[in-house]
Amino acid sequence: MISGKSFAFTGDLSTMSRKRAQEEVLRKGGSIPSSVTRELDYLVVGNLDSPLLSKKAKKGKKFLKAEELNLRGETIKIITEGQFIDMLETDLEE
């Protein structure tokens, strides 16, 4: 699921450091671009104060950029940290 896909991270992760999450993506054959562009496959939003989990949480620049690109017809999947962890675990089972 991760191999060949690109991932960016925003917000504070609760289950691991951002560096470790990036290392896991790279180890599984994914890539970590330096910014949110239309080529991005996934934007992972950390669980701590996540706008995906709480309506009171503020959306950061990366989140807003991904939403803007999606409004223009791009297909960046904005996922929770939990969904990312599920992807890591699914890769372990295959």
Side-chain angles (χ1 to χ4, degrees):
M1 286 185 94
I2 292 176
S3 180
K5 302 293 183 185
S6 59
F7 290 79
F9 296 86
T10 188
D12 294 322
L13 303 177
S14 64
T15 57
M16 66 181 75
S17 68
R18 186 177 297 192
K19 182 178 179 182
R20 177 158 175 245
Q22 291 171 336
E23 288 169 352
E24 288 294 320
V25 168
L26 294 173
R27 189 172 66 80
K28 293 180 180 292
S31 63
I32 307 290
S34 59
S35 62
V36 174
T37 66
R38 64 186 194 158
E39 287 82 23
L40 184 67
D41 294 303
Y42 292 95
L43 177 64
V44 180
V45 181
N47 283 349
L48 300 179
D49 290 326
S50 171
L52 294 177
L53 302 176
S54 169
K55 293 182 184 199
K56 295 179 182 179
K58 184 179 174 187
K59 295 178 180 178
K61 291 178 185 177
K62 289 179 186 175
F63 195 109
L64 294 171
K65 179 69 174 180
E67 283 187 326
E68 175 189 326
L69 289 169
N70 283 341
L71 287 173
R72 293 184 191 169
E74 304 303 331
T75 55
I76 299 169
K77 295 172 187 75
I78 302 172
I79 63 172
T80 65
E81 180 179 343
Q83 290 171 304
F84 172 69
I85 297 298
D86 288 345
M87 291 175 79
L88 289 177
E89 290 173 357
T90 299
D91 271 6
L92 289 176
E93 294 168 5
E94 293 176 353

